[in-house]
Amino acid sequence: MKGISIAFPGVQALTEVDFHTESGRSHALIGANGAGKSTLMKVLSGAYNHYTGEILLDGQLANIRSPKDAKGYGIQVVYQEVDTALIPNLSVGENIMMEHTVHGMRGKHMVNWRQLHRSAQAVLDRLRVKVPTKKLVQELTLAEKQMVLIARSVSMECKFLVLDEPTAPLSISETEALFSLVRLLKSEGVGIIFISHRLPELYEICDDITIMRDGRLVTRDEIAKLEQQDIVEHMLGAKLDGQFPERWSRIGEVAFEAREIYDSGKVNGVSLSVRKGEIVGLAGLVGAGKTELCRALFGASETARGDLFLHGAKLNVRSPHQAVRSGLALVPEERRREGIFVEESVVVNVTAASLSKYANGASWVSSRKERIAAQEIIHSLGVKTPGQQAKVRNLSGGNQQKIAIGKWLLTDADVYIFDEPTKGVDVGAKRDIYNLIAELAGKGKSILYASSEIAEIMGITDRIYVMYDGAILKELDTARTNEEEIMLHSTGGLII
């Protein structure tokens, strides 16, 4: 890709970007949220056609102006939101062979189902993926859905495969399975472009690295020649001084308490407490039940049962609406599906959880009050947006997450529940989120912080509950534990 530039209303997204990679190699493409890496890949995949510059394959000019053009050249993309690319009520085989079925009918009115599943099975066998072709996609795990998408891409004679934050929702074992698949594809001559904010894993799977900042190319090199600290400095344009904030909050009495929380086998008798001004970590591997517990506490699960108390008073929380009215706030793991309205503007999203504040006596919402509140959040959280009316779907992942958090700041809740708040977020935006959470604790708010990133839990919390198989296995004082002990309990290895 040579001299790629593209602009959107109010934003110059890419400026004269050069990018090149080779078959049979894995190439890391990284940068802070909003750096332009996803935009560059959308140009390559044909999602944006109003760019300037050139794309060449094997030295020959490639005219890519639509997704169909890109696929014709063997360029396939697996985006982070895999659910949007699959049809849940169709089988694995139908999803893998979908494009063959649609484009291969040519006047035929019958589908040879036996041949379809045989072809799909052949692709899965080649990739060493064990998923039944007749199983419905809606019954698969997130990791299995990702494998199905990769299988679909490979079935289309893929030459270059773009993986956008592929490991963000995966467990350690699932990540290892994905990396084995990537190595297999590389050995077959497929070029891999790997977008990720998890720097350690880049060294494990990538050969080369390109770093972007503010829509421009910063550097390109073999990844082995760069230290992690060098990469961070290239991404941010400055040294990263102290990722986790200094904590000065004074921890008070118990403010929030949950007793014997159950939810249909996913949460098994969990009891916990959070004091005023305290950040309590909820640690555990993917699948430990952290997300299910967060949803149960927020009234987002109809099957959950148990007792909640705030400042000693029993709460009646059977729905998110009741949770908000009781002083609870939840920033969910799946921000695009549950945390924001992607098709709405920044101002609509920021004020969504506290509309009554901006209504006059006749219950009409005051646009002026909304705009003032939205501007305060944009300024205080450092949200990068062309304006308040910009659609949230056009913002980077880190800025979307700031919006998902910002809307709850206006509710002035007593208890904030964060479920994987830095998933898919760059190191600079992570630091902003950590600072924000520390500020909330400093104001006496009670924070429950769920994360599978142990270093993050160690850096931001005062106390830790470790979950395993839907239950709390151990309670730890952060200052008196270490990452090895947390990992040991996370894997069910020891009960003391």
PDB file of all heavy atoms in Angstrom, residues 336-350:
ATOM      1  N   ARG A 336     -19.861  -2.668  22.368  1.00  0.00           N
ATOM      2  CA  ARG A 336     -20.603  -2.343  21.153  1.00  0.00           C
ATOM      3  C   ARG A 336     -22.002  -2.951  21.153  1.00  0.00           C
ATOM      4  O   ARG A 336     -22.915  -2.419  20.532  1.00  0.00           O
ATOM      5  CB  ARG A 336     -19.833  -2.812  19.913  1.00  0.00           C
ATOM      6  CG  ARG A 336     -18.612  -1.979  19.584  1.00  0.00           C
ATOM      7  CD  ARG A 336     -17.937  -2.460  18.322  1.00  0.00           C
ATOM      8  NE  ARG A 336     -18.763  -2.296  17.149  1.00  0.00           N
ATOM      9  CZ  ARG A 336     -18.819  -1.191  16.403  1.00  0.00           C
ATOM     10  NH1 ARG A 336     -18.076  -0.148  16.725  1.00  0.00           N
ATOM     11  NH2 ARG A 336     -19.596  -1.123  15.354  1.00  0.00           N
ATOM     12  N   ARG A 337     -22.163  -4.055  21.857  1.00  0.00           N
ATOM     13  CA  ARG A 337     -23.464  -4.718  21.864  1.00  0.00           C
ATOM     14  C   ARG A 337     -24.306  -4.296  23.057  1.00  0.00           C
ATOM     15  O   ARG A 337     -25.535  -4.255  22.976  1.00  0.00           O
ATOM     16  CB  ARG A 337     -23.257  -6.240  21.874  1.00  0.00           C
ATOM     17  CG  ARG A 337     -24.508  -7.027  21.565  1.00  0.00           C
ATOM     18  CD  ARG A 337     -24.194  -8.475  21.262  1.00  0.00           C
ATOM     19  NE  ARG A 337     -23.553  -9.144  22.406  1.00  0.00           N
ATOM     20  CZ  ARG A 337     -23.149 -10.393  22.382  1.00  0.00           C
ATOM     21  NH1 ARG A 337     -23.267 -11.102  21.279  1.00  0.00           N
ATOM     22  NH2 ARG A 337     -22.584 -10.937  23.453  1.00  0.00           N
ATOM     23  N   GLU A 338     -23.675  -3.967  24.197  1.00  0.00           N
ATOM     24  CA  GLU A 338     -24.427  -3.710  25.419  1.00  0.00           C
ATOM     25  C   GLU A 338     -24.125  -2.374  26.088  1.00  0.00           C
ATOM     26  O   GLU A 338     -24.900  -1.918  26.923  1.00  0.00           O
ATOM     27  CB  GLU A 338     -24.147  -4.832  26.441  1.00  0.00           C
ATOM     28  CG  GLU A 338     -24.535  -6.214  25.958  1.00  0.00           C
ATOM     29  CD  GLU A 338     -24.126  -7.307  26.937  1.00  0.00           C
ATOM     30  OE1 GLU A 338     -23.205  -7.053  27.745  1.00  0.00           O
ATOM     31  OE2 GLU A 338     -24.709  -8.390  26.901  1.00  0.00           O
ATOM     32  N   GLY A 339     -23.001  -1.737  25.729  1.00  0.00           N
ATOM     33  CA  GLY A 339     -22.581  -0.549  26.463  1.00  0.00           C
ATOM     34  C   GLY A 339     -22.867   0.772  25.783  1.00  0.00           C
ATOM     35  O   GLY A 339     -22.903   1.814  26.433  1.00  0.00           O
ATOM     36  N   ILE A 340     -23.055   0.739  24.466  1.00  0.00           N
ATOM     37  CA  ILE A 340     -23.275   1.980  23.711  1.00  0.00           C
ATOM     38  C   ILE A 340     -24.304   1.753  22.621  1.00  0.00           C
ATOM     39  O   ILE A 340     -24.591   0.618  22.234  1.00  0.00           O
ATOM     40  CB  ILE A 340     -21.968   2.488  23.059  1.00  0.00           C
ATOM     41  CG1 ILE A 340     -21.324   1.384  22.210  1.00  0.00           C
ATOM     42  CG2 ILE A 340     -21.001   3.019  24.107  1.00  0.00           C
ATOM     43  CD1 ILE A 340     -20.079   1.807  21.471  1.00  0.00           C
ATOM     44  N   PHE A 341     -24.858   2.857  22.113  1.00  0.00           N
ATOM     45  CA  PHE A 341     -25.722   2.812  20.936  1.00  0.00           C
ATOM     46  C   PHE A 341     -24.850   3.224  19.752  1.00  0.00           C
ATOM     47  O   PHE A 341     -24.612   4.414  19.535  1.00  0.00           O
ATOM     48  CB  PHE A 341     -26.907   3.770  21.091  1.00  0.00           C
ATOM     49  CG  PHE A 341     -27.787   3.455  22.276  1.00  0.00           C
ATOM     50  CD1 PHE A 341     -27.885   4.323  23.341  1.00  0.00           C
ATOM     51  CD2 PHE A 341     -28.506   2.267  22.322  1.00  0.00           C
ATOM     52  CE1 PHE A 341     -28.680   4.040  24.435  1.00  0.00           C
ATOM     53  CE2 PHE A 341     -29.318   1.969  23.411  1.00  0.00           C
ATOM     54  CZ  PHE A 341     -29.405   2.856  24.468  1.00  0.00           C
ATOM     55  N   VAL A 342     -24.380   2.240  18.989  1.00  0.00           N
ATOM     56  CA  VAL A 342     -23.362   2.529  17.974  1.00  0.00           C
ATOM     57  C   VAL A 342     -23.865   3.443  16.869  1.00  0.00           C
ATOM     58  O   VAL A 342     -23.090   4.181  16.255  1.00  0.00           O
ATOM     59  CB  VAL A 342     -22.790   1.235  17.365  1.00  0.00           C
ATOM     60  CG1 VAL A 342     -21.986   0.469  18.386  1.00  0.00           C
ATOM     61  CG2 VAL A 342     -23.896   0.362  16.770  1.00  0.00           C
ATOM     62  N   GLU A 343     -25.155   3.426  16.588  1.00  0.00           N
ATOM     63  CA  GLU A 343     -25.691   4.234  15.498  1.00  0.00           C
ATOM     64  C   GLU A 343     -26.147   5.618  15.952  1.00  0.00           C
ATOM     65  O   GLU A 343     -26.644   6.405  15.151  1.00  0.00           O
ATOM     66  CB  GLU A 343     -26.857   3.504  14.808  1.00  0.00           C
ATOM     67  CG  GLU A 343     -26.453   2.216  14.104  1.00  0.00           C
ATOM     68  CD  GLU A 343     -25.434   2.447  12.990  1.00  0.00           C
ATOM     69  OE1 GLU A 343     -25.466   3.526  12.364  1.00  0.00           O
ATOM     70  OE2 GLU A 343     -24.593   1.566  12.751  1.00  0.00           O
ATOM     71  N   GLU A 344     -25.999   5.892  17.237  1.00  0.00           N
ATOM     72  CA  GLU A 344     -26.412   7.199  17.761  1.00  0.00           C
ATOM     73  C   GLU A 344     -25.192   8.089  17.973  1.00  0.00           C
ATOM     74  O   GLU A 344     -24.049   7.648  17.923  1.00  0.00           O
ATOM     75  CB  GLU A 344     -27.174   7.022  19.081  1.00  0.00           C
ATOM     76  CG  GLU A 344     -28.469   6.256  18.957  1.00  0.00           C
ATOM     77  CD  GLU A 344     -29.534   6.996  18.148  1.00  0.00           C
ATOM     78  OE1 GLU A 344     -29.377   8.224  17.939  1.00  0.00           O
ATOM     79  OE2 GLU A 344     -30.508   6.352  17.732  1.00  0.00           O
ATOM     80  N   SER A 345     -25.452   9.351  18.234  1.00  0.00           N
ATOM     81  CA  SER A 345     -24.380  10.340  18.398  1.00  0.00           C
ATOM     82  C   SER A 345     -23.730  10.239  19.766  1.00  0.00           C
ATOM     83  O   SER A 345     -24.228   9.572  20.680  1.00  0.00           O
ATOM     84  CB  SER A 345     -24.952  11.748  18.218  1.00  0.00           C
ATOM     85  OG  SER A 345     -25.850  12.053  19.280  1.00  0.00           O
ATOM     86  N   VAL A 346     -22.615  10.931  19.911  1.00  0.00           N
ATOM     87  CA  VAL A 346     -21.915  10.990  21.195  1.00  0.00           C
ATOM     88  C   VAL A 346     -22.825  11.564  22.269  1.00  0.00           C
ATOM     89  O   VAL A 346     -22.925  11.024  23.380  1.00  0.00           O
ATOM     90  CB  VAL A 346     -20.628  11.839  21.065  1.00  0.00           C
ATOM     91  CG1 VAL A 346     -20.022  12.105  22.441  1.00  0.00           C
ATOM     92  CG2 VAL A 346     -19.616  11.148  20.157  1.00  0.00           C
ATOM     93  N   VAL A 347     -23.508  12.659  21.962  1.00  0.00           N
ATOM     94  CA  VAL A 347     -24.341  13.326  22.964  1.00  0.00           C
ATOM     95  C   VAL A 347     -25.488  12.433  23.407  1.00  0.00           C
ATOM     96  O   VAL A 347     -25.825  12.382  24.599  1.00  0.00           O
ATOM     97  CB  VAL A 347     -24.865  14.688  22.435  1.00  0.00           C
ATOM     98  CG1 VAL A 347     -25.814  14.518  21.261  1.00  0.00           C
ATOM     99  CG2 VAL A 347     -25.543  15.469  23.553  1.00  0.00           C
ATOM    100  N   VAL A 348     -26.100  11.681  22.493  1.00  0.00           N
ATOM    101  CA  VAL A 348     -27.185  10.767  22.863  1.00  0.00           C
ATOM    102  C   VAL A 348     -26.668   9.681  23.795  1.00  0.00           C
ATOM    103  O   VAL A 348     -27.313   9.331  24.792  1.00  0.00           O
ATOM    104  CB  VAL A 348     -27.820  10.149  21.596  1.00  0.00           C
ATOM    105  CG1 VAL A 348     -28.715   8.958  21.964  1.00  0.00           C
ATOM    106  CG2 VAL A 348     -28.634  11.181  20.839  1.00  0.00           C
ATOM    107  N   ASN A 349     -25.496   9.133  23.501  1.00  0.00           N
ATOM    108  CA  ASN A 349     -24.930   8.076  24.322  1.00  0.00           C
ATOM    109  C   ASN A 349     -24.552   8.569  25.719  1.00  0.00           C
ATOM    110  O   ASN A 349     -24.819   7.896  26.712  1.00  0.00           O
ATOM    111  CB  ASN A 349     -23.691   7.485  23.634  1.00  0.00           C
ATOM    112  CG  ASN A 349     -24.023   6.376  22.664  1.00  0.00           C
ATOM    113  OD1 ASN A 349     -24.114   5.212  23.040  1.00  0.00           O
ATOM    114  ND2 ASN A 349     -24.243   6.739  21.407  1.00  0.00           N
ATOM    115  N   VAL A 350     -23.924   9.735  25.788  1.00  0.00           N
ATOM    116  CA  VAL A 350     -23.436  10.242  27.073  1.00  0.00           C
ATOM    117  C   VAL A 350     -24.586  10.504  28.045  1.00  0.00           C
ATOM    118  O   VAL A 350     -24.456  10.271  29.253  1.00  0.00           O
ATOM    119  CB  VAL A 350     -22.607  11.521  26.850  1.00  0.00           C
ATOM    120  CG1 VAL A 350     -22.369  12.250  28.157  1.00  0.00           C
ATOM    121  CG2 VAL A 350     -21.267  11.173  26.211  1.00  0.00           C
TER     122      VAL A 350
END
